[in-house]
Amino acid sequence: MRFKNVQTGDISIERWSGKLPQQSFRILLLGVTGSGKSSFIEALAGSGQQLGISGGTLESVTQDIEAFRINNLLGKWGDGDEWPIYLVDSPGFSDSKLSELEIVNKIEEWRKINRAIHYVFYFCRITDTRMPGTVRRLMKLVKSLDVNPSNLTVITSMWNTICRAEAMKRAEDNFAHLRNVTWKDEIKEGANIVKFQKTQPSAVAIVSGIKWAFISTGTFNVSNNPLLPPLVFAELLDRIQNAQLERQTLLDDRIQLLVNPNDDLESIFVASLRDVDERIVSYINQLIAFGAPPAGFDINPRSVQYQNLLHATSACQRFINAAKGALKNLPSSSDYSTRRGELKATIQSAKQELEQAYFALRDFGSPPAGLGSSSIPLHVTNQITLEALYQRHRLQLRLKRQ
């Protein structure tokens, strides 16, 4: 049975909580952070509504799946039944905190609760002069989903930011490339590509242009999809590697502050190191929860976890050594007594962090089989001291459980 979109009044947006009505149409919004998903929803809402869901940072404003009902725009069946239309906003891919695996899992969990996603809007910035690796990967991911091309619209954004004729020509060339090369096969099979001008009429026209006759209830389903796991697994490994490099750089910068102190920078580096450590742990936990790696990945997630614990322990020891060196090289003059006290406090705090890192390493147990160099990177004396503390810690835990 065919149907069409019907506008019954002034269009507005209503944030929806809870399960969606069974008789409703759902449009999933996908795109990298900053590609225009949230701006599209706000444009539909019109200037009279302030949803506060779009932003201009590297972190996605949307961290969970959120549904928005489009008021006064309905899908009307031939028999007269009218179904409301919902936009399902997802976290932006390439977010600094959420991995692609997390986002895909969030979408799938939402789909299981709400039963179906009928259509996909994929957003991309027309102003990108070169396609970033994250965008190329996301395009591949979108194409790997079980989405009928007739249920897909590629929405190009940022047209409203173009002022110069030269920039407009470049954008039009990008649009032609997306239409005639990147999405050529999908468009041949029924997909659509459009320009979003960040206005309500433009957004309404895009939603109204959907060919609802091609809806199927199983459009988005990551279960048993052989193409998807290698993509999200590889992205997760990249995130772990990049985060570890970020941690190394932050540690190097913090060590420099030991001889060139700056309280403001010290606070920033400490917070950033804490953040990157949390992200690494989260990514590795996802890697372990993933289960057996996809075909073509010769990697043991437990080995990745153990090596990260080794690196964390080594980093703590390295910082302590650097702090001790800075303290030793301080002039003995009373003018440096304050700095001497600060360095002693820093060393004491770092020793506590080393203790925690060592405990986590020992709690892990024996190194995974097949791991290369896995010795604990500590001086013998330090390791003896830490091992004694660890055994006392274990004894205290056993006594508490009795």
Side-chain angles (χ1 to χ4, degrees):
M1 184 184 298
R2 299 182 68 87
F3 64 94
K4 60 181 180 180
N5 292 316
V6 177
Q7 185 171 342
T8 59
D10 292 338
I11 290 178
S12 62
I13 291 293
E14 176 185 354
R15 193 188 297 265
W16 195 265
S17 60
K19 192 174 180 180
L20 268 58
Q22 183 174 345
Q23 293 187 332
S24 62
F25 296 119
R26 302 92 181 272
I27 306 170
L28 175 67
L29 278 53
L30 295 177
V32 299
T33 299
S35 60
K37 299 183 290 87
S38 297
S39 295
F40 183 84
I41 298 172
E42 291 189 329
L44 264 178
S47 57
Q49 276 188 286
Q50 298 296 324
L51 298 176
I53 59 174
S54 63
T57 67
L58 293 176
E59 294 183 14
S60 175
V61 174
T62 305
Q63 293 291 301
D64 288 299
I65 308 300
E66 290 189 277
F68 298 84
R69 174 175 170 147
I70 307 177
N71 293 323
N72 295 322
L73 186 62
L74 304 168
K76 187 172 184 178
W77 292 94
D79 62 2
D81 280 354
E82 294 179 341
W83 286 15
I85 301 172
Y86 291 84
L87 300 177
V88 182
D89 194 16
S90 63
F93 287 82
S94 79
D95 179 77
S96 62
K97 293 186 181 296
L98 294 176
S99 69
E100 290 181 1
L101 176 60
E102 280 183 286
I103 295 172
V104 167
N105 285 340
K106 283 176 181 284
I107 295 171
E108 177 65 357
E109 288 169 8
W110 187 94
R111 188 196 66 82
K112 286 179 178 178
I113 294 172
N114 291 277
R115 299 189 59 183
I117 291 173
H118 302 111
Y119 205 93
V120 172
F121 281 171
Y122 170 70
F123 290 78
C124 59
R125 296 181 293 259
I126 201 62
T127 50
D128 287 342
T129 53
R130 292 184 179 180
M131 192 180 295
T134 52
V135 174
R136 288 196 299 271
R137 184 165 51 217
L138 179 55
M139 283 185 176
K140 190 179 293 185
L141 186 148
V142 171
K143 291 183 179 187
S144 76
L145 299 175
D146 185 19
V147 178
N148 187 317
S150 297
N151 295 70
L152 171 67
T153 291
V154 177
I155 299 178
T156 57
S157 61
M158 301 297 175
W159 291 94
N160 60 297
T161 66
I162 302 172
C163 300
R164 296 186 303 166
E166 179 184 350
M168 180 59 72
K169 182 182 183 305
R170 187 163 53 245
E172 291 290 356
D173 290 343
N174 289 345
F175 185 82
H177 185 82
L178 288 170
R179 181 188 59 213
N180 301 329
V181 180
T182 306
W183 296 98
K184 176 182 177 181
D185 294 339
E186 287 76 15
I187 290 173
K188 275 186 178 180
E189 296 178 26
N192 196 17
I193 183 168
V194 297
K195 301 175 181 178
F196 170 47
Q197 302 291 350
K198 205 178 180 181
T199 64
Q200 189 180 52
S202 174
V204 171
I206 290 171
V207 176
S208 299
I210 289 176
K211 302 172 184 178
W212 290 111
F214 296 99
I215 286 178
S216 63
T217 57
T219 297
F220 187 96
N221 188 342
V222 299
S223 301
N224 303 317
N225 183 341
L227 300 177
L228 191 57
L231 296 175
V232 294
F233 193 84
E235 194 266 349
L236 195 53
L237 291 177
D238 286 346
R239 279 184 177 264
I240 293 171
Q241 183 179 37
N242 291 336
Q244 288 173 336
L245 290 173
E246 180 184 350
R247 178 173 62 186
Q248 181 65 46
T249 300
L250 287 168
L251 179 61
D252 291 343
D253 290 340
R254 191 184 178 205
I255 287 175
Q256 290 298 317
L257 292 182
L258 293 171
V259 292
N260 299 292
N262 182 307
D263 290 343
D264 291 337
L265 287 178
E266 171 72 6
S267 297
I268 292 172
F269 289 149
V270 169
S272 297
L273 281 165
R274 187 181 302 115
D275 175 76
V276 75
D277 282 337
E278 290 174 356
R279 280 188 279 129
I280 292 172
V281 170
S282 174
Y283 298 152
I284 291 176
N285 287 340
Q286 292 172 52
L287 199 69
I288 293 171
F290 189 95
F297 290 87
D298 184 17
I299 188 169
N300 180 355
R302 292 277 292 170
S303 295
V304 175
Q305 184 182 25
Y306 187 81
Q307 288 174 324
N308 181 65
L309 293 172
L310 278 176
H311 292 158
T313 305
S314 176
C316 289
Q317 183 64 71
R318 179 178 168 226
F319 182 78
I320 290 172
N321 291 341
K324 286 181 176 179
L327 179 61
K328 182 180 179 180
N329 291 330
L330 270 183
S332 58
S333 168
S334 59
D335 294 340
Y336 293 90
S337 59
T338 300
R339 181 56 185 160
R340 189 173 293 106
E342 291 172 348
L343 283 172
K344 287 180 179 179
T346 296
I347 292 170
Q348 187 60 36
S349 176
K351 285 182 176 180
Q352 293 175 354
E353 292 178 5
L354 174 60
E355 185 177 309
Q356 293 172 0
Y358 183 83
F359 285 9
L361 184 62
R362 290 288 284 111
D363 284 342
F364 182 95
S366 301
L371 194 62
S373 176
S374 57
S375 59
I376 298 177
L378 296 172
H379 188 277
V380 174
T381 304
N382 291 338
Q383 187 167 347
I384 291 173
T385 302
L386 286 168
E387 184 63 25
L389 290 171
Y390 177 72
Q391 294 302 331
R392 186 176 68 180
H393 166 71
R394 291 291 302 272
L395 177 60
Q396 289 172 343
L397 289 178
R398 284 197 295 269
L399 291 174
K400 284 183 179 180
R401 287 195 290 264
Q402 291 178 356

